[in-house]
Structures are given as structure tokens and as C-alpha cells.
Amino acid sequence: MARIVDLPWTWLDEYRGSFFPGEWPTLPELFSLTAKRFPDGACFTVYNPDRKSLNYTEAGEKIAETARLMRTLGIGHGDRVAVTGKNSPEWAVAYLSVLFAGAVVVPIDYQLGTSEIANLVRAGEVSLVWCDEEKFDELARLVAPVPMRPLFPGRPGYIMDPALSAGDGAAGNAPMAGPAAREFVPAVETDTAAILFTSGTTGQPKGVMLSHRNLVSDCFLAQANLSIHHTDVFYALLPIHHSYTMLAVFLESIAVGAEIVFGSKLVTKQILKDLKEAKITMFLGVPLLFNKVLAGIMKGIRAKGPVVYGLIRLLMAISGLVKKFTGINPGKKMFHSVLEKASLATNRICISGGGPLAPSIFKQYNELGIDFVQGYGLTETSPILTLNPIEHYKETSVGRIIPRVQMKILDPDENGIGEIVVKGPMVMQGYYKMPEETAAVFTPDGWFRTGDLGYLDGEDYLYLTGRVKNLIVTEGGKNVYPEEIENRFQLFSEVEQVLVCGYQADRAMKSEGIEAKLHPDMEWFREQFPGLSGEDLWKEAESRMAGVVEEVNKKLLPYQRIGKITVLREALEMTTTKKIKRF
């Protein structure tokens, strides 16, 4: 007789109808449920430099207090409140308190300039802004007359001590005058919970409207492909305003009652310190970060000499095969000392998102005994659509479709490749006050057009090939996907950035050639060639870039090969999730 396995959201049945009325709880209802289930469990934690932590009960009290303050300022159901700042417990409290006040949270990238943040505040028609002290004064001037509140009330530490709401705040932070408190109207699951701007530095920014149902359903449905527990410790390193970290770290941890440790710096030394001290079990990052961590691990192994290096690589290959075909993970014990040195010994799962990861990187992490997960999604889909389950992973895939997602390939070519389109409870409500732009990304029969190209296999695993708008069409009419070629460069430590794009090879025929723009890692070259400097070092770097392209070309099909190389002396502009901004 088959064993019946409960789905990760089955436990909600116990509370449906009494604690919350709909199919899914709202985000405030979800946090309250978790605080009820794990009142003493660690919730928000920082190491700065010593450990400071709030449990779920303490965090709930601060969130409720801050929500009451906002209601006294006239903030209520449907109002939009911006939150911008560095990852911190203060950010988390402000974010959740907006939702507890019945309002809509507008998380904004803190790494943008203040004028760009002000632009998004205006685009979101925001009624109140929560901001870090560092940018507070300048931003207050730019967004006037929109009222502002500091995330840090005149000092480092947790947000909102009772004195602030009582009118005895730090100088310059006294409570603002505002309308009388509105009658509290809680949000329902179909209400908008958050507006996430996908970009906003130029032109008219798009605000993705995500409902409580969008976010909470995606949060639980993703757990069908990834087991997480209240004993896990998540690492919030990447900016939380981004949908990937917001859902996969912030909201997922709250859903199960896990602890969130906020990383203070995207610096390798600090990351390794946090991973070790906090005993992180869930480490989420982007390909660039995981590439650097793996490069550091392999550099340490190479330093042991060619014989030891060859032996370890052989053992890694054996470990990977055993894991892949039996489900047993011998690498965790075999390479414990290696993982300990890399501060990954306590790590249970690594998750890569925000961009494609080279299959070779995915493979080596698994060979070392680390359960490595890759996923796919977009801000407009809350964002998770697929995850590669650790018990049946495929190195070249971005994962298996999660439950209740309908996915198909639009107008597939002879290889089954076409635009990925989806339906599901996590698909956005639309772009804020942009009906034409919203209509443009949906097919007439309601499928959301992702703009990504890919194909599906017989087990509903998705394989990405590129973006529709980045597609290169060669003279022979062949389709070339730049992202597939860029992935080939991920194991070359001497290459800091690579951007593959088309250039007009034949104006009359309107055909495209393939160009690689490379920015070398000059720190790598200084280490390798200590006797060189200035132009001599650059000549060495340019020569090596040509050599790398030659190596990559050998493994590509003839029509995919790079025909033009540009070595960049200045780094290309990147997003806060470390993706190169394409032009």
C-alpha cells in the first residue's frame, strides 16, 4: 500500500476557517501563525560583531508597535509605504509592519542613487517612506512632501523603541503630524501586498503588483521541490528588496519558523565569518557568488600539489556518481575538512538563482557533498516557477515545475525551443497603473509571457537557452543564445565579466556575428604575474582573454563560435543581484 505523504502546506488545514478565512493566509496571518507555533524560536538575527537576535514573539511585538504608529499617521488599507535600506532586522520589521497596518509595501533598491529612489517613490504614489539614516536627509528633501521615517532612530539597533512612538524620539526624528488614525481594515488574500519595481533608473519604471495570494502560494508550493524546516538558519545576504531573496529567504523562513541571519557585507571574508558563526544551513546566492566560493575552494585544493589535487578530483567524481545514482551523499564526510575551511560544513542546501549557473559549477558542488539547488522564476511570478529537487536533480536543468504552475513552450522550433509562458496562482496582478504594458505580457488566452526561451523534457524539467530579446540570428539563419555561451566562461577565474552579444557582420544581409566583451580579473593577473604592471600587465590580460575565447570556441558548434573579441578595461554595470546590465 502506497504511503500518503503530507504536502508542505497541509498543516494550514488546521487553521483555515478559524485563523484565516481563505485558501491561503495573508502575510500578516502567516507571520502570526508562525509566532503562535514557534514563539521562542529565533527570528531576526545579526552578527555585528556580536550576536543580536529577536525571537518570533519579540519581533511580533515590534511589528505590531510599528504598525500602530503608522495607523496614527493615517496609513491604512491600500496605502503604499516604501521601505529602503540595507538588509537588517529593522528593514524586516518595517516591511512586515506595513502589511500589518493593512497597507501595501514598496521595497526599493537601497543601492540606487537617492534621486532614483525618489523617482520610484513618486511612481508608486507612496504615502510614507522608511529609510536608513545614511540617506535619510537627502531623500527627505527629494521626496517632500511625502513624510519619512528612519529605520535607525538616531542610533544603531532595533527599530522602534516605545519612546519614539510616544513622541520622545532622537533629535530630528520626532513623530510627524498627520491625520487621525483610520479605522483598521485588514488585507485579504486577493489584495495587493507588494509593488516591486523591476527597474527605475531611466524611463518609466514598472511596478509589479503581487498579492498576498501570489506570494504565500508561491512560498508553500515551492516547498514541494525543496524541504525546509523550523530548525534551518537562512542567510539573507543579497538585497531583500529583490523578489528572489524576499521570497526564497525572507518569506520562506517565516513560513516554517526558521531563523534569518542578515549579512552585512558582500565581502568574501565577512561572508565566511557569518556562515561559520551563525551555523548557516540555507545559503542562497547568485552564480557570481557561488563561482567565487568554488574558485576559492579549488585554489586551496590545488595548493596541496598536483598529486593530491588529482586524487581529490578523482574522489569528487566518484562521490558525484554515487550521489547522483544512489541518493547517498558520501561527499559530506569525505570532504568535511574542505567544507569546514570554506565555512560550509553546517550548510544543508545551497540555492542559486537570479541567473543561469554553469552545469559544471552545479556538478562540482554536488561532488563535494553539498546539496545544490538551482531554480527559475521572475519578479512577475513571485518569483519561483521551478526548483531542482535534491533527490532527483539534473545538472543542465533549472528545475522541475512546482505544483499548480502550468507551463508550455510557445511556438517551439525544431528543437522544441520557444518562449516560456505560464499560468498559476503566483502570476502577478499586473503592472501598477500600466494597463497597456500589462496586456502586452499576456497572451489573449491569459498566459504570462516570460520573455525567456527554453524547452521542457518528459519529466517537466525546464531548460533555459536565453532571452527572446537577446537572441542572435547568424548569416546561416541559426539561432544563437548568448547566455549559453556566457555560461562556458564561468570556470575561468581570470575572467571577471563576460557579455556575449550580436554585432552587424553583414549590413546588406542583416546578419549578425557573435562578439564577446570580456573584463579581466586584474587581481588574478597581479597574483599570477607579480613582476608585471601597467601596460605590460594589460597586454598579458588581453592575450589571455584571447586564449580563453579560443578554448571556449573549441567546445562550441561552428555557428556558435565567437568571431570578435573586445577586452574592456572598465567593468560593465551590474544589477544588485550581480547580473550584467545589457544595453
Side-chain angles (χ1 to χ4, degrees):
M1 183 176 177
R3 184 170 63 93
I4 297 173
V5 179
D6 283 346
L7 293 167
W9 53 90
T10 302
W11 66 269
L12 291 173
D13 294 341
E14 180 184 345
Y15 300 94
R16 189 177 290 107
S18 57
F19 209 93
F20 65 95
E23 180 185 11
W24 301 101
T26 63
L27 288 167
E29 288 166 343
L30 179 61
F31 185 92
S32 298
L33 267 172
T34 299
K36 177 183 175 68
R37 297 170 71 214
F38 306 103
D40 300 320
C43 181
F44 303 143
T45 300
V46 287
Y47 287 80
N48 193 24
D50 300 321
R51 185 178 190 271
K52 296 177 183 176
S53 187
L54 295 174
N55 64 32
Y56 274 91
T57 298
E58 292 165 337
E61 289 169 352
K62 290 184 178 292
I63 291 164
E65 176 189 334
T66 311
R68 286 194 298 272
L69 170 64
M70 278 191 283
R71 291 202 298 272
T72 66
L73 299 170
I75 299 298
H77 186 269
D79 287 334
R80 289 157 301 284
V81 177
V83 178
T84 184
K86 298 170 186 172
N87 288 8
S88 63
E90 291 84 357
W91 190 101
V93 169
Y95 178 102
L96 289 167
S97 66
V98 173
L99 300 171
F100 269 79
V104 178
V105 66
V106 183
I108 298 179
D109 185 353
Y110 191 64
Q111 293 184 33
L112 294 174
T114 49
S115 60
E116 295 161 340
I117 294 173
N119 182 37
L120 297 183
V121 168
R122 287 188 285 271
E125 299 179 312
V126 163
S127 300
L128 176 69
V129 180
W130 290 97
C131 178
D132 266 359
E133 191 175 39
E134 182 182 42
K135 293 184 179 180
F136 187 92
D137 291 337
E138 185 181 358
L139 188 57
R141 178 177 58 81
L142 290 173
V143 303
V146 176
M148 297 217 358
R149 278 281 170 181
L151 284 179
F152 295 88
R155 56 172 175 74
Y158 293 111
I159 192 170
M160 290 303 153
D161 46 15
L164 186 63
S165 57
D168 188 24
N173 294 337
M176 304 162 296
R182 288 164 53 181
E183 181 183 355
F184 175 58
V185 179
V188 297
E189 64 172 306
T190 53
D191 285 341
T192 302
I195 299 175
L196 278 62
F197 285 99
T198 55
S199 64
T201 57
T202 59
Q204 188 175 12
K206 288 181 186 174
V208 177
M209 296 187 295
L210 299 175
S211 68
H212 291 266
R213 175 186 290 169
N214 289 152
L215 292 165
V216 175
S217 67
D218 198 49
C219 185
F220 281 104
L221 295 171
Q223 291 177 38
N225 289 14
L226 177 68
S227 296
I228 55 177
H229 315 287
H230 75 277
T231 51
D232 277 317
V233 181
F234 284 74
Y235 192 33
L237 177 64
L238 301 173
I240 311 183
H241 79 276
H242 191 274
S243 60
Y244 167 44
T245 314
M246 183 185 301
L247 194 289
V249 177
F250 185 53
L251 298 181
E252 287 287 8
S253 59
I254 288 171
V256 298
E259 179 181 7
I260 311 169
V261 174
F262 295 88
S264 58
K265 296 176 184 175
L266 198 61
V267 176
T268 304
K269 186 177 180 181
Q270 184 63 46
I271 293 168
L272 296 179
K273 183 175 181 290
D274 287 345
L275 289 173
K276 194 164 194 173
E277 286 189 11
K279 295 182 171 56
I280 299 295
T281 66
M282 302 292 293
F283 181 20
L284 286 81
V286 291
L288 178 64
L289 176 60
F290 285 118
N291 291 346
K292 287 186 177 296
V293 171
L294 183 62
I297 292 172
M298 300 313 293
K299 181 180 178 181
I301 294 173
R302 283 193 189 93
K304 297 178 184 296
V307 175
V308 174
Y309 176 74
L311 177 61
I312 290 177
R313 288 309 303 263
L314 175 62
L315 291 173
M316 283 173 61
I318 294 169
S319 167
L321 288 172
V322 170
K323 184 180 181 190
K324 190 172 182 68
F325 293 108
T326 70
I328 299 169
N329 183 4
K332 198 80 172 175
K333 288 186 177 179
M334 289 169 63
F335 305 111
H336 179 79
S337 61
V338 174
L339 298 178
E340 180 73 34
K341 193 169 183 180
S343 300
L344 292 173
T346 63
N347 199 80
R348 198 168 67 81
I349 296 174
C350 285
I351 303 177
S352 180
L357 182 80
S360 53
I361 303 288
F362 190 3
K363 181 180 180 181
Q364 286 185 45
Y365 272 105
N366 275 290
E367 287 176 343
L368 285 166
I370 294 173
D371 286 329
F372 205 88
V373 173
Q374 189 171 199
Y376 164 72
L378 303 91
T379 300
E380 288 89 342
T381 59
S382 300
I384 301 173
L385 293 169
T386 70
L387 280 174
N388 224 331
I390 59 174
E391 65 276 5
H392 183 37
Y393 62 88
K394 300 186 181 184
E395 290 155 355
T396 55
S397 170
V398 291
R400 188 174 64 202
I401 301 171
I402 67 173
R404 303 194 195 178
V405 170
Q406 298 176 63
M407 181 179 290
K408 66 179 183 178
I409 306 301
L410 205 60
D411 302 323
D413 63 14
E414 67 275 12
N415 297 313
I417 297 171
E419 185 178 5
I420 302 159
V421 296
V422 298
K423 286 183 178 180
M426 64 292 296
V427 175
M428 69 169 181
Q429 297 173 308
Y431 297 117
Y432 182 67
K433 291 196 173 180
M434 299 179 79
E436 292 181 6
E437 288 79 358
T438 299
V441 295
F442 285 91
T443 65
D445 54 348
W447 291 82
F448 172 69
R449 307 184 66 136
T450 66
D452 288 315
L453 295 163
Y455 62 95
L456 291 163
D457 70 12
E459 293 184 288
D460 283 338
Y461 280 72
L462 178 67
Y463 300 79
L464 293 182
T465 55
R467 291 284 293 169
V468 172
K469 64 182 180 181
N470 298 336
L471 181 68
I472 300 169
V473 181
T474 67
E475 184 179 4
K478 292 286 190 180
N479 290 343
V480 175
Y481 308 102
E483 294 85 351
E484 286 189 325
I485 300 174
E486 289 166 357
N487 285 347
R488 303 272 186 167
F489 289 84
Q490 288 191 18
L491 278 178
F492 292 95
S493 300
E494 59 267 50
V495 180
E496 185 169 320
Q497 293 180 323
V498 59
L499 177 70
V500 173
C501 55
Y503 70 96
Q504 198 167 53
D506 189 321
R507 189 180 296 273
M509 297 297 293
K510 295 184 178 179
S511 64
E512 292 182 289
I514 300 168
E515 177 183 5
K517 298 183 178 184
L518 302 117
H519 177 60
D521 184 342
M522 296 310 292
E523 286 300 318
W524 185 92
F525 282 96
R526 288 186 190 97
E527 286 182 13
Q528 298 296 316
F529 303 96
L532 297 181
S533 62
E535 285 302 312
D536 291 336
L537 191 63
W538 270 106
K539 285 179 183 177
E540 184 64 43
E542 288 169 354
S543 173
R544 179 58 191 144
M545 292 301 100
V548 169
V549 170
E550 187 178 344
E551 288 182 48
V552 169
N553 272 343
K554 287 177 182 176
K555 298 178 181 179
L556 296 172
L557 296 171
Y559 69 86
Q560 295 176 310
R561 286 173 188 158
I562 296 161
K564 181 179 178 182
I565 304 170
T566 303
V567 179
L568 305 171
R569 296 207 173 192
E570 296 293 330
L572 292 162
E573 188 180 358
M574 301 184 80
T575 68
T576 50
T577 52
K578 304 304 174 185
K579 288 192 290 187
I580 293 171
K581 289 187 176 181
R582 291 184 181 268
F583 40 86

